[in-house]
Amino acid sequence: MATIATRRKSVAVNPLKQSQPLGSALAFLGLKGMMPLFHGSQGCTAFAKVMLVRHFREAIPLSTTAMTEVSTVLGGEDNVEQAILTLVEKSKPEIIGLCTTGLTETRGDDMQGILQSIRKRHPELYDLPIVFVSTPDFKGALQDGFAATVESIVKELPRPGETRPNQITLLVSSAFAPGDVQAIKEMIADFGLTAIVVPDLSLSMDGHLDDNSGSVTSGGTTLAELREIGSSVYALVLGESMRGAAEALQKQFGIPYEVFPSLSNLDAIDSFIEGLADLSGLPVPEKYYRQRAQVQDAMLDTHFFFGRKQVSLALEPDLLWSTVHFLQSMGSEIQAAVTTTKSPLLEALPVESVTIGDLEDFEQLAAGSDLLIGNSHVASISRRLNTPLYRMGFPIFDRLGNGQRSTVGYRGMMQLLFDLGNLFLEQEESHAKH
Amino acid sequence: MKLTQGKINELLSESACEHNHKKEGKGKNKSCTQVAQPGAAQGGCAFDGAMIALVPITDAAHLVHGPIACAGNSWGSRGSQSSGSMLYKMGFTTDLSENDIIFGGEKKLYKAILEVKERYSPAAVFVYSTCVTALIGDDLDAVCQKASEKAGVPVVPVNSPGFIGSKNLGNRVGGESLLEYVVGSQEPEYTTPYDINLIGEYNIAGELWGVLPLFEKLGIRVLAQITGDGRYRDIACSHRAKLNVMICSKALINMARKMEERYGIPYVEESFYGVADMNRCLRNIAAKIGDRNLQERVEILIAEETAKLDEALAPYRARLKGKRVVLYTGGVKSWSIISAAKDLGMEVCATSTKKSTEEDKARIKELLGKDGIMLEKGNAQELLRVIAQTRADMLIAGGRNQYTALKAKIPFLDINQERHHPYAGYVGMVEMARELDEALHSPVWAQVRKPAPWATAEPGLAID
């Protein structure tokens, strides 16, 4: 059981946290033909866009209602309307994801009312789904915005239907990268199950070349698939932050669910594979025996380097949970854990204390560790503390391949073992030389 | 500085900005007053612009008063480099919560300034307001003044809520804060007849360091860099310079004009890109300073540097000759980069004139020749169409258009602020030539354009 510390200070120094709308945009990007729209001033969109572009190295569709001082005072209805009409004309989205910002939440625009009256005035928008999420910048963090968005999507789009015994719904939190989603989908397919994934970043942000001109997302969960979610027999839920969305599905369609907070340690992966076998009624394919034997061998080879190492982490709650368990399962110890936002997971984390704070807190707490784990902003701390950094989370702008990397399943876990193990190994070698 | 509508209008209609005159009385040019349209995706806000202008002051703390998005989604992302203090790379924000918004954020801001002073001993604290703190009516100026008295360090308010307008307006808001609170607030230890300020050069990718040695060789002292690799104290003393040199930017023209009015410092507008422009820049500075001897030294330096450069560029010129480029960038850079490309024997077949003034456009016309296309407005599709139409070999543009080019499998060179390579001065020309050559002649192009062999073969014909 961890105690949760919140630093009492008036200034955040080197923020770890990003805003809810950014998380919302990230979730929306996993839907096909999507154009996310921020209801705020143009900078809100520009900053989020730059971050996403730097992380994924992809063109990112994102648009703004371009609120001005005058429209802020008078109300944003005209701007929302004009933005939607312009997008429909110019980008032809199959779906629009609308989220608020600090500016429009402070003003208090009645978004449901605005959307209703726009729809009334424009019957031509009848078939265009517009998913709305409230994402004030002054509350929560990226993970919360992402979770709220998935919840809005599953509340608004699925329709009831007859249950299909082989169809499951997979809800994926912001802790999982496009490469992770791809790996998880393969596991599910290996059991003869069809998964509707919300959101499916593995089809849009994986970095691939196609003929799409790039004004909306080129891939992701389709609207047709989202409509069919009501027919799923079960929901597999990856990441605690997805629980709200899972409960919404259960309430609406009676779909039972199970939450898997991690897929990066042996026990967690075993129980996921076992779950897939139970759901499908099929035996576990031979290849997983092999992969499991490989990861166990890798654990033996690498455990010399993980054992008793002091690791400090600065990650969002879901990713923090999964990484802490991975490290502890290898014999490493957690020196410091810093995170961005509240989560029911934090108290249950098997460490002494978790700090909801910034990277200034992290730098103080992490001094003397053997390894740091966090986003690219931690790189300068890593230099100052002369401690190696393993990059995880968002944004990672000084490493290539963020659309593809995977740390889940036996294979992803094995990669994680080797990557971290090599960092420890390198450190020991360089110490030995002195 | 109180941010009134009058102040905003003044900045928008800056009289020294060419956008606003040479219009034969026919209303204002839209460039300065234009606002983003709902449904668009381009461009930052005034807050972004103010940060761009001021964050390169390296020994200051830059504190953002607002909710997490404004700093959390943007800190540490500027490409401006420092030869000393790294304080400017740190992100400081009051990270307002719902409670702060209900009860007001002034107390938190006051404490935040004192905490920053206490823990990081900055030369000064710049405090930026944002949409939310402007909306809830926090009195930035009053808090900054009080905190400054208490902390004993300059605290400069920058009234820059994003919703007042574009990035460009934000640049000027930043300049206004410097004029009102910083410039003229300290005195230099000594002055020389060869003191100049650089204005509107942000030391992206360390560009300034390719140019400063030239000034040093000539005996010209750069008193203040406003703001690339800048120091607070230097800028505070910048009113004692003999000449302001505006670099490649209309962004801080309000500073140049007002410093001329207040301190009698004349200004010239120059560019560091391309041989011809670099030569002209040095000649103009020497002419303005009005020292015959300096002018002679400039001629000698130019002769030396261009001879060295010709030698260094020879192999690239051979490989770049006749290559056709489409250029998509803003303002002064349009003609400035055309001239650099021409120096390398490349052909510019189209360019944007989006943020260019009438004078820029005239220059562009002259450089492009009669077949050149001037793009007034453009989006991804339009750019690709022009590239196809002109059979261009590559696109030179800002990072925003990088994926437009790459996804269409067209070589691309980043010319704007996110780039990693310095292109300024004579040494920058060699760097640019190398980058152009690399982009154009990379072996990847043939491979990424090649369809899968089995996809083109007709069924049944693949096996002979």
Side-chain angles (χ1 to χ4, degrees):
Chain A
M1 287 291 276
T3 54
I4 296 165
T6 316
R7 289 295 177 96
R8 295 194 63 82
K9 53 185 191 182
S10 298
V11 61
V13 182
N14 296 343
L16 170 65
K17 185 167 63 167
Q18 287 112 31
S19 71
Q20 283 210 69
L22 180 53
S24 177
L26 182 57
F28 276 136
L29 290 173
L31 309 189
K32 185 174 183 295
M34 160 59 75
M35 173 59 88
L37 171 62
F38 283 9
H39 184 31
S41 76
Q42 51 177 324
C44 307
T45 301
F47 286 140
K49 185 164 171 146
V50 168
M51 287 279 267
L52 289 160
V53 168
R54 289 180 84 199
H55 180 86
F56 288 113
R57 296 177 194 262
E58 289 291 321
I60 302 286
L62 209 59
S63 53
T64 174
T65 60
M67 292 293 282
T68 62
E69 197 166 13
V70 173
S71 56
T72 301
V73 173
L74 299 180
E77 179 156 354
D78 289 351
N79 287 56
V80 176
E81 177 170 350
Q82 200 188 327
I84 291 171
L85 297 179
T86 306
L87 290 177
V88 167
E89 188 199 326
K90 291 204 171 143
S91 315
K92 302 183 179 62
E94 291 160 47
I95 176 168
I96 287 177
L98 174 63
C99 50
T100 53
T101 59
L103 172 65
T104 49
E105 286 282 346
T106 303
R107 193 201 174 273
D109 277 342
D110 165 24
M111 297 305 291
Q112 299 294 0
I114 286 176
L115 277 175
Q116 264 175 18
S117 74
I118 292 174
R119 285 207 180 276
K120 210 177 276 173
R121 276 195 298 279
H122 297 280
E124 75 271 19
L125 299 178
Y126 182 79
D127 285 330
L128 179 73
I130 300 170
V131 177
F132 166 70
V133 206
S134 162
T135 48
D137 297 316
F138 46 76
K139 263 201 257 180
L142 184 148
Q143 181 181 295
D144 303 302
F146 189 101
T149 301
V150 175
E151 196 172 326
S152 283
I153 293 169
V154 301
K155 273 182 179 163
E156 263 177 62
L157 298 175
R159 290 173 179 158
E162 215 162 290
T163 303
R164 297 183 191 131
N166 274 336
Q167 179 187 311
I168 58 166
T169 293
L170 185 71
L171 303 176
V172 193
S173 100
S174 58
F176 296 83
D180 294 330
V181 179
Q182 194 173 313
I184 296 161
K185 278 164 66 180
E186 276 171 30
M187 286 191 247
I188 293 169
D190 284 338
F191 285 88
L193 299 168
T194 320
I196 298 176
V197 188
V198 193
D200 192 348
L201 290 167
S202 78
L203 294 174
S204 53
M205 292 298 123
D206 59 324
H208 65 275
L209 213 45
D210 61 19
D211 295 331
N212 179 1
S213 64
S215 59
V216 295
T217 52
S218 63
T221 325
T222 64
L223 188 57
E225 287 167 330
L226 293 167
R227 298 282 194 216
E228 305 276 297
I229 284 174
S231 299
S232 292
V233 65
Y234 204 79
L236 296 175
V237 182
L238 303 180
E240 175 64 32
S241 64
M242 289 292 107
R243 191 179 290 274
E247 277 168 3
L249 276 185
Q250 188 178 43
K251 206 169 146 200
Q252 273 175 287
F253 306 108
I255 302 174
Y257 68 87
E258 183 173 353
V259 178
F260 297 85
S262 166
L263 286 184
S264 300
N265 66 70
L266 194 69
D267 287 346
I269 305 165
D270 283 351
S271 78
F272 187 70
I273 293 282
E274 208 182 3
L276 290 176
D278 286 349
L279 269 175
S280 65
L282 293 177
V284 174
E286 195 55 43
K287 79 183 214 196
Y288 290 108
Y289 288 88
R290 185 82 187 164
Q291 286 183 11
R292 192 169 186 276
Q294 288 169 338
V295 85
Q296 283 175 319
D297 188 66
M299 289 168 80
L300 288 174
D301 290 346
T302 54
H303 86 282
F304 299 106
F305 308 101
F306 277 86
R308 296 277 171 261
K309 286 285 161 43
Q310 297 290 320
V311 185
S312 294
L313 309 97
L315 297 168
E316 291 234 277
D318 280 1
L319 197 52
L320 181 67
W321 174 274
S322 126
T323 315
V324 162
H325 280 84
F326 164 79
L327 289 165
Q328 289 181 336
S329 77
M330 287 301 297
S332 295
E333 289 164 9
I334 307 304
Q335 173 168 333
V338 175
T339 193
T340 56
T341 182
K342 285 185 197 133
S343 159
L345 284 181
L346 297 182
E347 277 186 18
L349 208 60
V351 298
E352 251 173 56
S353 101
V354 190
T355 305
I356 297 180
D358 55 29
L359 293 177
E360 182 189 56
D361 302 328
F362 181 70
E363 188 163 352
Q364 287 162 5
L365 295 167
S369 312
D370 297 300
L371 178 72
L372 310 178
I373 298 182
N375 66 23
S376 287
H377 286 308
V378 180
S380 57
I381 296 175
S382 155
R383 282 192 294 275
R384 285 196 288 272
L385 297 182
N386 194 22
T387 307
L389 164 67
Y390 182 73
R391 287 164 182 77
M392 272 192 133
F394 184 93
I396 298 176
F397 44 75
D398 55 354
R399 283 292 180 276
L400 299 167
N402 297 319
Q404 283 294 331
R405 62 192 278 234
S406 163
T407 56
V408 301
Y410 299 123
R411 297 190 63 85
M413 179 186 166
M414 190 169 70
Q415 191 62 50
L416 195 55
L417 283 171
F418 292 146
D419 288 347
L420 264 63
N422 282 330
L423 279 177
F424 287 133
L425 174 65
E426 196 178 353
Q427 206 183 5
E428 287 188 11
E429 296 266 313
S430 72
H431 285 175
K433 270 180 206 148
H434 290 300
Chain B
M1 180 190 81
K2 289 285 178 202
L3 190 75
T4 58
Q5 196 55 47
K7 186 59 143 186
I8 294 173
N9 289 341
E10 181 202 316
L11 294 178
L12 286 173
S13 57
E14 168 59 48
S15 62
C17 179
E18 288 163 48
H19 288 292
N20 292 305
H21 53 91
K22 299 187 177 153
K23 285 267 134 193
E24 289 136 21
K26 256 177 57 187
K28 263 187 289 184
N29 184 301
K30 280 200 223 87
S31 308
C32 283
T33 50
Q34 89 187 3
V35 289
Q37 291 304 306
Q42 311 288 334
C45 57
F47 162 73
D48 191 15
M51 296 282 285
I52 287 172
L54 300 182
V55 166
I57 302 171
T58 57
D59 53 358
H62 300 272
L63 168 61
V64 178
H65 185 38
I68 194 62
C70 308
N73 295 359
S74 74
W75 76 275
S77 66
R78 321 252 165 228
S80 174
Q81 300 206 5
S82 170
S83 57
S85 172
M86 295 305 283
L87 188 59
Y88 76 117
K89 285 276 186 198
M90 301 189 73
F92 295 100
T93 175
T94 48
D95 183 12
L96 294 187
S97 68
E98 199 165 23
N99 259 354
D100 300 320
I101 286 164
I102 295 165
F103 298 109
E106 291 177 0
K107 272 189 191 146
K108 192 174 195 188
L109 174 60
Y110 178 74
K111 283 196 227 155
I113 297 169
L114 298 184
E115 285 177 24
V116 168
K117 159 68 176 55
E118 185 62 32
R119 294 213 288 278
Y120 296 94
S121 319
V125 183
F126 286 86
V127 181
Y128 303 79
S129 68
T130 58
C131 292
V132 169
T133 48
L135 196 58
I136 61 175
D138 279 359
D139 189 341
L140 196 69
D141 302 66
V143 174
C144 287
Q145 197 191 338
K146 246 183 100 187
S148 176
E149 283 159 15
K150 173 88 177 165
V153 63
V155 179
V156 181
V158 186
N159 285 288
S160 54
F163 58 45
I164 59 169
S166 67
K167 200 145 79 173
N168 190 263
L169 174 64
N171 295 149
R172 289 184 185 168
V173 168
E176 253 350 85
S177 292
L178 290 182
L179 282 168
E180 184 157 346
Y181 294 95
V182 187
V183 174
S185 64
Q186 296 186 42
E187 290 298 330
E189 274 164 35
Y190 65 97
T191 58
T192 78
Y194 305 103
D195 288 352
I196 65 168
N197 298 319
L198 297 180
I199 300 182
E201 205 296 329
Y202 300 123
N203 200 30
I204 303 297
E207 281 200 320
L208 201 47
W209 301 325
V211 180
L212 287 179
L214 300 173
F215 292 133
E216 208 167 304
K217 266 188 210 165
L218 293 168
I220 295 170
R221 180 170 79 150
V222 178
L223 188 61
Q225 290 155 213
I226 308 174
T227 54
D229 196 10
R231 303 289 184 281
Y232 184 82
R233 191 184 138 71
D234 294 346
I235 298 170
C237 299
S238 63
H239 61 301
R240 296 299 180 206
K242 304 297 182 291
L243 179 68
N244 275 332
V245 182
M246 295 276 314
I247 301 304
C248 241
S249 170
K250 300 268 181 265
L252 291 176
I253 185 92
N254 52 326
M255 285 201 75
R257 182 178 61 80
K258 289 188 180 167
M259 285 176 80
E260 184 168 42
E261 272 172 25
R262 287 183 198 172
Y263 309 107
I265 306 173
Y267 67 92
V268 287
E269 291 179 55
E270 302 296 336
S271 158
F272 289 156
Y273 296 119
V275 187
D277 286 351
M278 194 60 228
N279 292 349
R280 184 172 51 227
C281 167
L282 295 177
R283 286 186 178 123
N284 284 351
I285 292 173
K288 273 281 181 184
I289 292 176
D291 182 318
R292 180 69 57 82
N293 193 269
L294 176 63
Q295 282 173 303
E296 276 167 24
R297 289 203 303 276
V298 163
E299 292 309 322
I300 295 168
L301 180 83
I302 287 175
E304 280 171 13
E305 291 289 336
T306 46
K308 261 197 294 188
L309 188 60
D310 271 339
E311 206 174 303
L313 287 181
Y316 297 111
R317 282 197 169 118
R319 291 163 63 84
L320 296 174
K321 192 174 175 342
K323 294 290 179 190
R324 301 163 64 80
V325 300
V326 166
L327 186 62
Y328 193 75
T329 178
V332 197
K333 245 181 275 166
S334 315
W335 54 261
S336 183
I337 300 288
I338 300 177
S339 129
K342 287 197 126 182
D343 266 338
L344 295 168
M346 301 176 81
E347 205 177 314
V348 178
C349 27
T351 187
S352 66
T353 55
K354 218 169 72 183
K355 284 185 268 176
S356 311
T357 62
E358 290 306 311
E359 193 180 304
D360 290 338
K361 284 183 196 167
R363 266 187 187 156
I364 292 168
K365 242 179 213 157
E366 198 179 301
L367 285 163
L368 270 185
K370 64 176 172 33
D371 295 333
I373 298 169
M374 288 169 64
L375 295 160
E376 186 58 49
K377 230 180 176 172
N379 52 32
Q381 279 74 15
E382 175 68 9
L383 261 182
L384 291 176
R385 197 186 59 74
V386 169
I387 290 167
Q389 182 197 331
T390 56
R391 290 170 290 110
D393 297 295
M394 79 179 299
L395 175 68
I396 302 179
R400 197 181 298 152
N401 288 301
Q402 177 165 327
Y403 297 100
T404 304
L406 295 187
K407 294 289 175 186
K409 303 163 192 175
I410 294 162
F412 173 84
L413 186 74
D414 188 350
I415 203 69
N416 279 357
Q417 54 180 343
E418 298 89 359
R419 66 179 182 268
H420 291 280
H421 302 274
Y423 298 141
Y426 303 107
V427 284
M429 274 299 282
V430 184
E431 184 84 21
M432 193 197 296
R434 188 184 301 134
E435 289 298 313
L436 283 167
D437 181 36
E438 241 177 69
L440 271 167
H441 295 111
S442 166
V444 305
W445 298 116
Q447 297 169 72
V448 298
R449 286 169 185 158
K450 184 184 165 194
W454 60 87
T456 50
E458 283 177 42
L461 292 180
I463 304 156
D464 283 322

